[in-house]
Each structure stands twice: as structure tokens, then as C-alpha cells.
Amino acid sequence: MGSSTGGPALLSALLSQFPADFPAPVVIAQHMPASFTGALAQRLDASCALPVREVTGLVPVQPGHVYVARGDADVVLGRRGEDLVVRPAPAGSAYRWHPSVDRLVASALEHVDPARTVGVLLTGMGDDGAEQMAQLRSRGGRTVAESEESAVVWGMPGQLVARGGATRVLHSDQIAAQVVAWA
């Protein structure tokens, strides 16, 4: 999942709809400074049935857990042996916004079968996440773009739609149910 302006409240609303037995991990890149992402993870943890943690080091990925990227850095997926892991990565100039949704999705495409991956691009300015989520869809993954009607800012999801990369364009009230159904 990727979001920016308007994302924290929406993430709380979405994750509160996920059941405790949700069978997949959730990794979130929310554009936000480092001083706020720990509090965001705590707030999300208190508002949903899934355990939520901020990614501050290498962490094995587990189904039914939520991983929030640390602000002012990026979060990437990788492998340690056969295990999928998530870790912070220093913010670099190759990506304009941080935590970078494009970098997160690019790393997922390297280490996870696209057919088993769902990308969700939520409210936010700019185009972060649009290019890599369009790639995800073209390689067999499923993607959701938040609709213009519900997004605080339709930049990021609008760019995904403009690139033909959205499997579904959904109002924020419909996103969680679709993701749960696809899981």
C-alpha cells in the first residue's frame, strides 16, 4: 500500500476492516517524516486486528502482520535464504518521495510472484507508485487505485489510472473488501 496526503486516516479506516486471520502480509509506504511513522504504526496497531510495527531493521515478513516504512527512508522487500524479509533502506535521490512507493513495489516485483501480489495506491500528490504498480499489473498482479471521488488528492491513484495500471478503481469504502476478497 502506498499513500501520502490524507493517507493516515484512510489507512486506519482500511486496516480496521481486515480480519484477524488475514492471510497475507501488508507493507505500507506512507509519505511522512521519521518523527511521525512510529506514532502512525502505534495508532494503526491500536485500531485494527492485525499487529502493526514500524520497520526499523531487518524483519521476517509474516502473514497477517502490517509493516509501516520508517519515514525519511524507504522500505524494501528481500530474501534471506528462503524467507521473505522487509528492511529499511536509506532514502536516495533516485526517488522523489520517501518512503517511496515505487521502490517498495519494485522490490516486491523482484522477490514475490506478481500473481500473488496486490498493490493499493491511495490518496496523495504526485505520481509515486504509479509506474511500478502499472508494471505489477502488466506482470499479472492486481492493483487498486482509490477513486477521485474519495481521494483527498487524486494525484498518485490518478496517475495509476492514467497509465492503465489499475485493475480496479474503487471508492475508499470499497477498497478493504476487495483486498480481503483477493487475499
Side-chain angles (χ1 to χ4, degrees):
M1 288 187 180
S3 59
S4 188
T5 307
L10 180 55
L11 289 167
S12 182
L14 290 176
L15 292 174
S16 69
Q17 297 175 57
F18 283 35
D21 62 350
F22 187 70
V26 179
V27 183
I28 298 171
Q30 163 66 50
H31 297 166
M32 185 175 269
S35 57
F36 295 105
T37 51
L40 173 64
Q42 290 174 352
R43 190 174 110 214
L44 294 174
D45 187 58
S47 71
C48 75
L50 305 175
V52 180
R53 68 184 294 177
E54 181 185 33
V55 178
T56 58
L58 182 82
V59 180
V61 172
Q62 298 178 12
H65 287 69
V66 179
Y67 305 92
V68 176
R70 181 170 170 74
D72 297 332
D74 293 329
V75 64
V76 295
L77 292 165
R79 293 278 174 190
R80 181 176 253 182
E82 293 297 313
D83 296 328
L84 187 64
V85 297
V86 64
R87 66 174 177 81
S93 61
Y95 299 94
R96 185 172 178 184
W97 297 279
H98 304 283
S100 171
V101 183
D102 270 327
R103 190 170 183 189
L104 167 60
V105 178
S107 72
L109 285 168
E110 290 179 35
H111 300 286
V112 182
D113 177 3
R116 298 185 57 190
T117 305
V118 175
V120 179
L121 199 53
L122 304 171
T123 180
M125 295 189 303
D127 64 356
D128 188 27
E131 182 58 36
Q132 290 300 314
M133 285 202 193
Q135 289 293 319
L136 171 63
R137 181 174 185 214
S138 75
R139 292 174 56 185
R142 291 164 290 187
T143 59
V144 174
E146 182 181 2
S147 72
E148 187 172 11
E149 294 76 29
S150 65
V152 173
V153 178
W154 202 53
M156 289 164 50
Q159 286 297 309
L160 179 59
V161 172
R163 287 174 166 91
T167 307
R168 298 270 193 289
V169 180
L170 299 173
H171 189 280
S172 61
D173 293 342
Q174 301 169 316
I175 294 171
Q178 181 63 71
V179 173
V180 170
W182 279 341

